[in-house]
Short mmCIF file of all heavy atoms in Angstrom, two decimals:
data_model
loop_
_atom_site.label_atom_id
_atom_site.label_comp_id
_atom_site.label_asym_id
_atom_site.label_seq_id
_atom_site.Cartn_x
_atom_site.Cartn_y
_atom_site.Cartn_z
N MET K 1 -22.73 -9.58 -12.29
CA MET K 1 -21.89 -8.40 -12.12
C MET K 1 -21.68 -7.76 -13.49
O MET K 1 -21.40 -8.44 -14.46
CB MET K 1 -20.55 -8.79 -11.51
CG MET K 1 -19.71 -7.60 -11.26
SD MET K 1 -18.07 -7.84 -10.56
CE MET K 1 -18.15 -9.19 -9.52
N ASN K 2 -21.82 -6.48 -13.54
CA ASN K 2 -21.69 -5.74 -14.78
C ASN K 2 -20.24 -5.35 -15.02
O ASN K 2 -19.66 -4.60 -14.24
CB ASN K 2 -22.58 -4.50 -14.70
CG ASN K 2 -22.66 -3.78 -16.01
OD1 ASN K 2 -21.99 -4.13 -16.97
ND2 ASN K 2 -23.49 -2.76 -16.06
N PRO K 3 -19.63 -5.84 -16.11
CA PRO K 3 -18.23 -5.49 -16.38
C PRO K 3 -18.02 -4.00 -16.64
O PRO K 3 -16.95 -3.47 -16.38
CB PRO K 3 -17.86 -6.31 -17.61
CG PRO K 3 -19.02 -7.14 -17.95
CD PRO K 3 -20.16 -6.78 -17.06
N GLN K 4 -19.04 -3.32 -17.15
CA GLN K 4 -18.89 -1.88 -17.41
C GLN K 4 -18.75 -1.10 -16.12
O GLN K 4 -18.05 -0.10 -16.07
CB GLN K 4 -20.09 -1.37 -18.20
CG GLN K 4 -20.14 -1.91 -19.61
CD GLN K 4 -21.38 -1.45 -20.34
OE1 GLN K 4 -22.35 -1.03 -19.72
NE2 GLN K 4 -21.37 -1.56 -21.66
N ALA K 5 -19.39 -1.57 -15.06
CA ALA K 5 -19.27 -0.89 -13.77
C ALA K 5 -17.86 -1.05 -13.22
O ALA K 5 -17.34 -0.14 -12.57
CB ALA K 5 -20.28 -1.44 -12.79
N LEU K 6 -17.24 -2.18 -13.49
CA LEU K 6 -15.88 -2.40 -13.00
C LEU K 6 -14.86 -1.54 -13.72
O LEU K 6 -13.83 -1.18 -13.15
CB LEU K 6 -15.50 -3.88 -13.17
CG LEU K 6 -16.05 -4.84 -12.14
CD1 LEU K 6 -15.66 -6.25 -12.49
CD2 LEU K 6 -15.54 -4.49 -10.76
N GLU K 7 -15.13 -1.21 -15.00
CA GLU K 7 -14.17 -0.43 -15.77
C GLU K 7 -13.90 0.93 -15.16
O GLU K 7 -12.81 1.46 -15.26
CB GLU K 7 -14.66 -0.26 -17.20
CG GLU K 7 -14.62 -1.54 -18.00
CD GLU K 7 -15.22 -1.39 -19.38
OE1 GLU K 7 -15.61 -0.26 -19.75
OE2 GLU K 7 -15.30 -2.40 -20.09
N GLY K 8 -14.89 1.51 -14.50
CA GLY K 8 -14.75 2.84 -13.93
C GLY K 8 -14.06 2.84 -12.58
O GLY K 8 -13.79 3.89 -12.02
N MET K 9 -13.75 1.65 -12.05
CA MET K 9 -13.14 1.56 -10.72
C MET K 9 -11.64 1.30 -10.82
O MET K 9 -11.14 0.85 -11.85
CB MET K 9 -13.79 0.42 -9.93
CG MET K 9 -15.23 0.66 -9.63
SD MET K 9 -15.85 -0.61 -8.55
CE MET K 9 -17.43 0.04 -8.14
N SER K 10 -10.96 1.60 -9.74
CA SER K 10 -9.51 1.40 -9.71
C SER K 10 -9.16 -0.08 -9.72
O SER K 10 -10.02 -0.95 -9.47
CB SER K 10 -8.92 2.06 -8.46
OG SER K 10 -9.35 1.36 -7.32
N ARG K 11 -7.90 -0.39 -9.99
CA ARG K 11 -7.46 -1.79 -10.02
C ARG K 11 -7.61 -2.44 -8.64
O ARG K 11 -7.94 -3.61 -8.54
CB ARG K 11 -6.01 -1.86 -10.49
CG ARG K 11 -5.86 -1.49 -11.96
CD ARG K 11 -4.43 -1.47 -12.42
NE ARG K 11 -3.84 -2.79 -12.28
CZ ARG K 11 -2.54 -3.02 -12.19
NH1 ARG K 11 -1.70 -2.00 -12.22
NH2 ARG K 11 -2.07 -4.24 -12.07
N PHE K 12 -7.38 -1.65 -7.59
CA PHE K 12 -7.52 -2.18 -6.24
C PHE K 12 -8.96 -2.61 -5.99
O PHE K 12 -9.23 -3.70 -5.49
CB PHE K 12 -7.09 -1.13 -5.21
CG PHE K 12 -7.41 -1.53 -3.79
CD1 PHE K 12 -6.63 -2.46 -3.14
CD2 PHE K 12 -8.50 -0.99 -3.12
CE1 PHE K 12 -6.93 -2.84 -1.84
CE2 PHE K 12 -8.81 -1.37 -1.84
CZ PHE K 12 -8.02 -2.30 -1.20
N ARG K 13 -9.91 -1.74 -6.34
CA ARG K 13 -11.32 -2.06 -6.12
C ARG K 13 -11.74 -3.25 -6.97
O ARG K 13 -12.52 -4.10 -6.52
CB ARG K 13 -12.20 -0.85 -6.44
CG ARG K 13 -12.10 0.21 -5.38
CD ARG K 13 -13.06 1.32 -5.62
NE ARG K 13 -13.05 2.23 -4.49
CZ ARG K 13 -13.23 3.53 -4.59
NH1 ARG K 13 -13.47 4.07 -5.75
NH2 ARG K 13 -13.20 4.29 -3.52
N GLN K 14 -11.25 -3.33 -8.20
CA GLN K 14 -11.56 -4.47 -9.05
C GLN K 14 -11.06 -5.76 -8.42
O GLN K 14 -11.75 -6.78 -8.44
CB GLN K 14 -10.93 -4.29 -10.42
CG GLN K 14 -11.56 -3.21 -11.25
CD GLN K 14 -10.86 -3.01 -12.57
OE1 GLN K 14 -9.97 -3.77 -12.95
NE2 GLN K 14 -11.26 -1.98 -13.30
N LYS K 15 -9.86 -5.71 -7.83
CA LYS K 15 -9.30 -6.90 -7.20
C LYS K 15 -10.12 -7.32 -5.99
O LYS K 15 -10.42 -8.50 -5.82
CB LYS K 15 -7.85 -6.62 -6.77
CG LYS K 15 -7.15 -7.80 -6.16
CD LYS K 15 -5.70 -7.47 -5.83
CE LYS K 15 -4.99 -8.66 -5.25
NZ LYS K 15 -3.59 -8.35 -4.92
N VAL K 16 -10.52 -6.36 -5.18
CA VAL K 16 -11.33 -6.67 -3.99
C VAL K 16 -12.65 -7.30 -4.40
O VAL K 16 -13.06 -8.33 -3.86
CB VAL K 16 -11.57 -5.39 -3.15
CG1 VAL K 16 -12.64 -5.62 -2.09
CG2 VAL K 16 -10.28 -4.94 -2.50
N ILE K 17 -13.32 -6.72 -5.39
CA ILE K 17 -14.61 -7.23 -5.83
C ILE K 17 -14.46 -8.61 -6.44
O ILE K 17 -15.26 -9.51 -6.19
CB ILE K 17 -15.26 -6.24 -6.82
CG1 ILE K 17 -15.64 -4.97 -6.07
CG2 ILE K 17 -16.48 -6.85 -7.49
CD1 ILE K 17 -15.94 -3.80 -6.96
N ARG K 18 -13.39 -8.81 -7.23
CA ARG K 18 -13.16 -10.12 -7.83
C ARG K 18 -12.97 -11.19 -6.77
O ARG K 18 -13.54 -12.28 -6.85
CB ARG K 18 -11.94 -10.08 -8.76
CG ARG K 18 -11.64 -11.41 -9.43
CD ARG K 18 -10.46 -11.32 -10.37
NE ARG K 18 -9.28 -10.71 -9.77
CZ ARG K 18 -8.40 -11.36 -9.01
NH1 ARG K 18 -8.55 -12.64 -8.76
NH2 ARG K 18 -7.34 -10.74 -8.53
N LEU K 19 -12.18 -10.87 -5.74
CA LEU K 19 -11.92 -11.85 -4.69
C LEU K 19 -13.17 -12.17 -3.88
O LEU K 19 -13.46 -13.34 -3.60
CB LEU K 19 -10.81 -11.35 -3.76
CG LEU K 19 -9.40 -11.37 -4.34
CD1 LEU K 19 -8.44 -10.65 -3.40
CD2 LEU K 19 -8.94 -12.79 -4.56
N VAL K 20 -13.92 -11.16 -3.52
CA VAL K 20 -15.08 -11.38 -2.64
C VAL K 20 -16.27 -11.95 -3.41
O VAL K 20 -16.88 -12.92 -2.98
CB VAL K 20 -15.48 -10.09 -1.91
CG1 VAL K 20 -16.75 -10.28 -1.12
CG2 VAL K 20 -14.36 -9.64 -0.99
N VAL K 21 -16.59 -11.36 -4.55
CA VAL K 21 -17.80 -11.74 -5.27
C VAL K 21 -17.59 -13.00 -6.10
O VAL K 21 -18.36 -13.95 -5.99
CB VAL K 21 -18.30 -10.58 -6.16
CG1 VAL K 21 -19.50 -11.00 -6.98
CG2 VAL K 21 -18.65 -9.38 -5.30
N TYR K 22 -16.55 -13.02 -6.94
CA TYR K 22 -16.34 -14.16 -7.83
C TYR K 22 -15.75 -15.37 -7.10
O TYR K 22 -16.22 -16.48 -7.26
CB TYR K 22 -15.41 -13.80 -8.98
CG TYR K 22 -16.05 -12.99 -10.07
CD1 TYR K 22 -15.37 -11.97 -10.69
CD2 TYR K 22 -17.36 -13.24 -10.49
CE1 TYR K 22 -15.93 -11.23 -11.71
CE2 TYR K 22 -17.93 -12.51 -11.49
CZ TYR K 22 -17.22 -11.51 -12.11
OH TYR K 22 -17.79 -10.78 -13.11
N GLU K 23 -14.70 -15.13 -6.33
CA GLU K 23 -13.99 -16.25 -5.72
C GLU K 23 -14.52 -16.61 -4.33
O GLU K 23 -14.01 -17.52 -3.69
CB GLU K 23 -12.50 -15.94 -5.66
CG GLU K 23 -11.90 -15.76 -7.05
CD GLU K 23 -10.42 -15.47 -7.04
OE1 GLU K 23 -9.78 -15.68 -5.98
OE2 GLU K 23 -9.89 -15.04 -8.08
N LYS K 24 -15.51 -15.86 -3.85
CA LYS K 24 -16.17 -16.14 -2.57
C LYS K 24 -15.19 -16.18 -1.38
O LYS K 24 -15.32 -16.99 -0.48
CB LYS K 24 -16.93 -17.48 -2.62
CG LYS K 24 -17.92 -17.58 -3.75
CD LYS K 24 -19.09 -16.67 -3.53
CE LYS K 24 -20.12 -16.93 -4.63
NZ LYS K 24 -21.01 -15.83 -4.84
N LYS K 25 -14.21 -15.29 -1.40
CA LYS K 25 -13.28 -15.18 -0.27
C LYS K 25 -13.92 -14.34 0.82
O LYS K 25 -14.76 -13.49 0.55
CB LYS K 25 -11.97 -14.52 -0.71
CG LYS K 25 -11.22 -15.24 -1.80
CD LYS K 25 -10.55 -16.47 -1.28
CE LYS K 25 -9.74 -17.12 -2.39
NZ LYS K 25 -9.10 -18.33 -1.97
N SER K 26 -13.49 -14.55 2.03
CA SER K 26 -14.01 -13.73 3.14
C SER K 26 -13.35 -12.36 3.09
O SER K 26 -12.33 -12.16 2.43
CB SER K 26 -13.72 -14.41 4.47
OG SER K 26 -12.34 -14.35 4.75
N VAL K 27 -13.93 -11.42 3.83
CA VAL K 27 -13.34 -10.08 3.86
C VAL K 27 -11.95 -10.13 4.51
O VAL K 27 -11.07 -9.35 4.15
CB VAL K 27 -14.24 -9.06 4.59
CG1 VAL K 27 -15.48 -8.77 3.77
CG2 VAL K 27 -14.60 -9.50 5.97
N TYR K 28 -11.74 -11.06 5.42
CA TYR K 28 -10.44 -11.18 6.09
C TYR K 28 -9.39 -11.72 5.14
O TYR K 28 -8.27 -11.20 5.07
CB TYR K 28 -10.57 -12.08 7.33
CG TYR K 28 -11.60 -11.56 8.30
CD1 TYR K 28 -12.85 -12.15 8.40
CD2 TYR K 28 -11.35 -10.43 9.08
CE1 TYR K 28 -13.81 -11.66 9.27
CE2 TYR K 28 -12.30 -9.93 9.95
CZ TYR K 28 -13.52 -10.54 10.04
OH TYR K 28 -14.47 -10.05 10.89
N GLU K 29 -9.74 -12.75 4.37
CA GLU K 29 -8.80 -13.29 3.37
C GLU K 29 -8.49 -12.25 2.30
O GLU K 29 -7.34 -12.12 1.86
CB GLU K 29 -9.39 -14.53 2.71
CG GLU K 29 -9.50 -15.73 3.62
CD GLU K 29 -10.25 -16.87 2.98
OE1 GLU K 29 -11.24 -16.62 2.25
OE2 GLU K 29 -9.85 -18.02 3.23
N THR K 30 -9.50 -11.50 1.91
CA THR K 30 -9.31 -10.46 0.90
C THR K 30 -8.41 -9.35 1.42
O THR K 30 -7.53 -8.87 0.70
CB THR K 30 -10.68 -9.87 0.47
OG1 THR K 30 -11.49 -10.94 0.00
CG2 THR K 30 -10.52 -8.84 -0.61
N ALA K 31 -8.59 -8.97 2.66
CA ALA K 31 -7.75 -7.92 3.25
C ALA K 31 -6.29 -8.36 3.29
O ALA K 31 -5.39 -7.58 2.98
CB ALA K 31 -8.23 -7.59 4.66
N ILE K 32 -6.05 -9.61 3.63
CA ILE K 32 -4.67 -10.12 3.65
C ILE K 32 -4.09 -10.15 2.24
O ILE K 32 -2.96 -9.73 2.01
CB ILE K 32 -4.64 -11.51 4.31
CG1 ILE K 32 -4.97 -11.40 5.79
CG2 ILE K 32 -3.28 -12.18 4.09
CD1 ILE K 32 -5.21 -12.72 6.48
N ALA K 33 -4.88 -10.63 1.27
CA ALA K 33 -4.40 -10.73 -0.11
C ALA K 33 -4.11 -9.36 -0.71
O ALA K 33 -3.17 -9.22 -1.51
CB ALA K 33 -5.43 -11.47 -0.96
N CYS K 34 -4.89 -8.37 -0.33
CA CYS K 34 -4.73 -7.03 -0.90
C CYS K 34 -3.78 -6.15 -0.08
O CYS K 34 -3.41 -5.07 -0.52
CB CYS K 34 -6.08 -6.33 -1.02
SG CYS K 34 -7.16 -7.11 -2.21
N GLY K 35 -3.45 -6.59 1.12
CA GLY K 35 -2.55 -5.80 1.96
C GLY K 35 -3.21 -4.57 2.53
O GLY K 35 -2.58 -3.50 2.60
N CYS K 36 -4.46 -4.70 2.92
CA CYS K 36 -5.18 -3.56 3.50
C CYS K 36 -5.96 -4.03 4.71
O CYS K 36 -5.85 -5.17 5.14
CB CYS K 36 -6.10 -2.94 2.46
SG CYS K 36 -7.44 -4.02 1.97
N THR K 37 -6.76 -3.13 5.26
CA THR K 37 -7.55 -3.47 6.44
C THR K 37 -8.91 -4.03 6.03
O THR K 37 -9.37 -3.83 4.91
CB THR K 37 -7.78 -2.24 7.32
OG1 THR K 37 -8.57 -1.30 6.59
CG2 THR K 37 -6.46 -1.61 7.74
N VAL K 38 -9.54 -4.71 6.96
CA VAL K 38 -10.88 -5.25 6.75
C VAL K 38 -11.87 -4.11 6.53
O VAL K 38 -12.79 -4.22 5.71
CB VAL K 38 -11.30 -6.14 7.94
CG1 VAL K 38 -12.74 -6.58 7.82
CG2 VAL K 38 -10.38 -7.34 8.05
N ASP K 39 -11.68 -3.01 7.24
CA ASP K 39 -12.58 -1.86 7.09
C ASP K 39 -12.55 -1.31 5.66
O ASP K 39 -13.58 -0.95 5.11
CB ASP K 39 -12.23 -0.75 8.07
CG ASP K 39 -12.54 -1.13 9.50
OD1 ASP K 39 -13.46 -1.97 9.70
OD2 ASP K 39 -11.89 -0.59 10.41
N LYS K 40 -11.37 -1.29 5.06
CA LYS K 40 -11.27 -0.79 3.70
C LYS K 40 -11.97 -1.73 2.72
O LYS K 40 -12.65 -1.27 1.79
CB LYS K 40 -9.80 -0.62 3.30
CG LYS K 40 -9.63 0.08 1.98
CD LYS K 40 -8.21 0.54 1.76
CE LYS K 40 -8.12 1.33 0.47
NZ LYS K 40 -6.78 1.85 0.25
N VAL K 41 -11.84 -3.02 2.92
CA VAL K 41 -12.55 -3.99 2.09
C VAL K 41 -14.06 -3.80 2.22
O VAL K 41 -14.79 -3.80 1.22
CB VAL K 41 -12.15 -5.44 2.46
CG1 VAL K 41 -13.03 -6.46 1.74
CG2 VAL K 41 -10.69 -5.70 2.15
N LYS K 42 -14.53 -3.59 3.44
CA LYS K 42 -15.96 -3.38 3.66
C LYS K 42 -16.45 -2.11 2.99
O LYS K 42 -17.55 -2.07 2.45
CB LYS K 42 -16.27 -3.35 5.16
CG LYS K 42 -16.15 -4.70 5.82
CD LYS K 42 -16.46 -4.62 7.29
CE LYS K 42 -16.33 -5.97 7.97
NZ LYS K 42 -16.61 -5.88 9.42
N ARG K 43 -15.63 -1.05 3.01
CA ARG K 43 -16.02 0.20 2.34
C ARG K 43 -16.14 0.00 0.83
O ARG K 43 -17.06 0.51 0.19
CB ARG K 43 -15.01 1.31 2.64
CG ARG K 43 -15.15 1.91 4.00
CD ARG K 43 -14.38 3.21 4.13
NE ARG K 43 -12.98 3.10 3.75
CZ ARG K 43 -11.97 2.93 4.59
NH1 ARG K 43 -12.20 2.85 5.89
NH2 ARG K 43 -10.74 2.85 4.16
N VAL K 44 -15.18 -0.75 0.25
CA VAL K 44 -15.23 -1.01 -1.18
C VAL K 44 -16.48 -1.81 -1.54
O VAL K 44 -17.17 -1.51 -2.52
CB VAL K 44 -13.95 -1.76 -1.64
CG1 VAL K 44 -14.08 -2.27 -3.06
CG2 VAL K 44 -12.73 -0.86 -1.52
N LEU K 45 -16.80 -2.81 -0.74
CA LEU K 45 -17.99 -3.62 -1.00
C LEU K 45 -19.27 -2.80 -0.85
O LEU K 45 -20.22 -2.98 -1.63
CB LEU K 45 -18.03 -4.82 -0.05
CG LEU K 45 -16.99 -5.88 -0.31
CD1 LEU K 45 -17.06 -6.97 0.74
CD2 LEU K 45 -17.14 -6.45 -1.70
N LYS K 46 -19.29 -1.90 0.11
CA LYS K 46 -20.46 -1.05 0.30
C LYS K 46 -20.67 -0.17 -0.93
O LYS K 46 -21.80 -0.03 -1.41
CB LYS K 46 -20.26 -0.19 1.55
CG LYS K 46 -21.45 0.65 1.92
CD LYS K 46 -21.19 1.41 3.20
CE LYS K 46 -22.37 2.28 3.57
NZ LYS K 46 -22.11 3.04 4.80
N LYS K 47 -19.59 0.38 -1.46
CA LYS K 47 -19.70 1.21 -2.65
C LYS K 47 -20.12 0.37 -3.85
O LYS K 47 -20.95 0.79 -4.66
CB LYS K 47 -18.37 1.90 -2.95
CG LYS K 47 -18.44 2.78 -4.17
CD LYS K 47 -17.24 3.63 -4.36
CE LYS K 47 -17.43 4.52 -5.57
NZ LYS K 47 -16.43 5.54 -5.67
N TRP K 48 -19.58 -0.84 -3.96
CA TRP K 48 -19.93 -1.72 -5.07
C TRP K 48 -21.42 -2.07 -5.04
O TRP K 48 -22.09 -2.06 -6.06
CB TRP K 48 -19.09 -2.99 -5.02
CG TRP K 48 -19.61 -4.04 -5.95
CD1 TRP K 48 -20.20 -5.21 -5.61
CD2 TRP K 48 -19.60 -3.99 -7.37
NE1 TRP K 48 -20.56 -5.89 -6.72
CE2 TRP K 48 -20.22 -5.17 -7.83
CE3 TRP K 48 -19.16 -3.06 -8.30
CZ2 TRP K 48 -20.37 -5.45 -9.17
CZ3 TRP K 48 -19.33 -3.35 -9.64
CH2 TRP K 48 -19.91 -4.52 -10.07
N LYS K 49 -21.93 -2.36 -3.86
CA LYS K 49 -23.36 -2.69 -3.74
C LYS K 49 -24.22 -1.50 -4.15
O LYS K 49 -25.24 -1.66 -4.82
CB LYS K 49 -23.69 -3.13 -2.33
CG LYS K 49 -23.15 -4.52 -2.01
CD LYS K 49 -23.45 -4.91 -0.59
CE LYS K 49 -22.83 -6.25 -0.26
NZ LYS K 49 -23.06 -6.65 1.13
N ALA K 50 -23.81 -0.31 -3.77
CA ALA K 50 -24.58 0.89 -4.13
C ALA K 50 -24.55 1.12 -5.64
O ALA K 50 -25.57 1.44 -6.25
CB ALA K 50 -24.02 2.10 -3.40
N VAL K 51 -23.39 0.92 -6.26
CA VAL K 51 -23.26 1.12 -7.70
C VAL K 51 -24.07 0.07 -8.45
O VAL K 51 -24.80 0.40 -9.39
CB VAL K 51 -21.77 1.07 -8.13
CG1 VAL K 51 -21.63 0.97 -9.63
CG2 VAL K 51 -21.05 2.29 -7.62
N SER K 52 -23.95 -1.18 -8.05
CA SER K 52 -24.68 -2.24 -8.76
C SER K 52 -26.19 -2.10 -8.55
O SER K 52 -26.97 -2.40 -9.45
CB SER K 52 -24.20 -3.62 -8.32
OG SER K 52 -24.44 -3.84 -6.96
N ARG K 53 -26.60 -1.63 -7.38
CA ARG K 53 -28.02 -1.42 -7.12
C ARG K 53 -28.57 -0.28 -7.98
O ARG K 53 -29.67 -0.37 -8.51
CB ARG K 53 -28.24 -1.10 -5.64
CG ARG K 53 -29.67 -1.15 -5.21
CD ARG K 53 -29.84 -0.88 -3.72
NE ARG K 53 -28.91 -1.64 -2.91
CZ ARG K 53 -28.10 -1.10 -1.99
NH1 ARG K 53 -28.11 0.19 -1.77
NH2 ARG K 53 -27.29 -1.85 -1.29
N SER K 54 -27.79 0.76 -8.15
CA SER K 54 -28.25 1.90 -8.94
C SER K 54 -28.33 1.55 -10.43
O SER K 54 -29.12 2.12 -11.16
CB SER K 54 -27.35 3.11 -8.74
OG SER K 54 -26.08 2.88 -9.30
N GLN K 55 -27.52 0.59 -10.87
CA GLN K 55 -27.58 0.19 -12.28
C GLN K 55 -28.75 -0.74 -12.57
O GLN K 55 -29.23 -0.80 -13.68
CB GLN K 55 -26.27 -0.47 -12.70
CG GLN K 55 -25.15 0.51 -12.80
CD GLN K 55 -23.88 -0.12 -13.29
OE1 GLN K 55 -23.77 -1.32 -13.37
NE2 GLN K 55 -22.91 0.71 -13.60
N LYS K 56 -29.22 -1.46 -11.55
CA LYS K 56 -30.38 -2.33 -11.75
C LYS K 56 -31.64 -1.51 -11.93
O LYS K 56 -32.49 -1.84 -12.74
CB LYS K 56 -30.55 -3.29 -10.56
CG LYS K 56 -29.51 -4.38 -10.55
CD LYS K 56 -29.73 -5.31 -9.38
CE LYS K 56 -28.64 -6.35 -9.33
NZ LYS K 56 -28.75 -7.21 -8.15
N CYS K 57 -31.80 -0.43 -11.15
CA CYS K 57 -32.93 0.47 -11.29
C CYS K 57 -32.37 1.81 -11.74
O CYS K 57 -32.08 2.65 -10.90
CB CYS K 57 -33.71 0.65 -10.00
SG CYS K 57 -33.51 -0.60 -8.78
N PRO K 58 -32.22 2.01 -13.03
CA PRO K 58 -31.51 3.20 -13.51
C PRO K 58 -32.11 4.52 -13.08
O PRO K 58 -31.38 5.42 -12.73
CB PRO K 58 -31.53 3.07 -15.03
CG PRO K 58 -32.33 1.89 -15.35
CD PRO K 58 -32.70 1.18 -14.09
N GLU K 59 -33.42 4.63 -13.09
CA GLU K 59 -33.98 5.92 -12.70
C GLU K 59 -35.19 5.70 -11.80
O GLU K 59 -36.06 4.91 -12.10
CB GLU K 59 -34.38 6.73 -13.93
CG GLU K 59 -33.20 7.23 -14.71
CD GLU K 59 -33.62 8.29 -15.70
OE1 GLU K 59 -34.67 8.92 -15.51
OE2 GLU K 59 -32.88 8.48 -16.67
N GLN K 60 -35.21 6.43 -10.73
CA GLN K 60 -36.35 6.41 -9.85
C GLN K 60 -37.31 7.52 -10.31
O GLN K 60 -36.87 8.60 -10.68
CB GLN K 60 -35.91 6.71 -8.39
CG GLN K 60 -34.95 5.70 -7.85
CD GLN K 60 -35.66 4.40 -7.48
OE1 GLN K 60 -36.83 4.41 -7.18
NE2 GLN K 60 -34.93 3.30 -7.52
N PRO K 61 -38.61 7.27 -10.31
CA PRO K 61 -39.53 8.35 -10.70
C PRO K 61 -39.47 9.48 -9.66
O PRO K 61 -39.42 9.24 -8.47
CB PRO K 61 -40.90 7.66 -10.69
CG PRO K 61 -40.73 6.41 -9.91
CD PRO K 61 -39.28 6.04 -9.98
N VAL K 62 -39.47 10.68 -10.18
CA VAL K 62 -39.40 11.85 -9.31
C VAL K 62 -40.82 12.34 -9.06
O VAL K 62 -41.59 12.59 -9.99
CB VAL K 62 -38.57 12.98 -9.98
CG1 VAL K 62 -38.56 14.21 -9.11
CG2 VAL K 62 -37.17 12.49 -10.26
N HIS K 63 -41.17 12.44 -7.79
CA HIS K 63 -42.49 12.91 -7.42
C HIS K 63 -42.44 14.41 -7.18
O HIS K 63 -41.62 14.90 -6.42
CB HIS K 63 -42.99 12.21 -6.15
CG HIS K 63 -43.14 10.73 -6.32
ND1 HIS K 63 -44.16 10.17 -7.04
CD2 HIS K 63 -42.39 9.69 -5.89
CE1 HIS K 63 -44.05 8.86 -7.03
NE2 HIS K 63 -42.98 8.54 -6.34
N GLN K 64 -43.29 15.11 -7.85
CA GLN K 64 -43.37 16.56 -7.64
C GLN K 64 -44.56 16.84 -6.75
O GLN K 64 -45.65 16.36 -6.98
CB GLN K 64 -43.52 17.27 -8.97
CG GLN K 64 -42.32 17.10 -9.87
CD GLN K 64 -42.54 17.78 -11.21
OE1 GLN K 64 -43.59 18.32 -11.48
NE2 GLN K 64 -41.50 17.76 -12.04
N GLY K 65 -44.31 17.60 -5.73
CA GLY K 65 -45.44 17.83 -4.85
C GLY K 65 -45.27 18.95 -3.99
O GLY K 65 -45.30 19.87 -3.54
#
């Protein structure tokens, strides 16, 4: 996990990612710990996966045609 990517996110998102990714908590346990819904935890994780995926492959070649 890239710490620089976490710096740009809110404290809530950082907490969700820390619980799920580092501490291996389930989305249900994370939702209870954060006081939110499971759907919100899933949305945060979806965004995190997209951000971390885009940082692994920084630029896609652009095809002109």
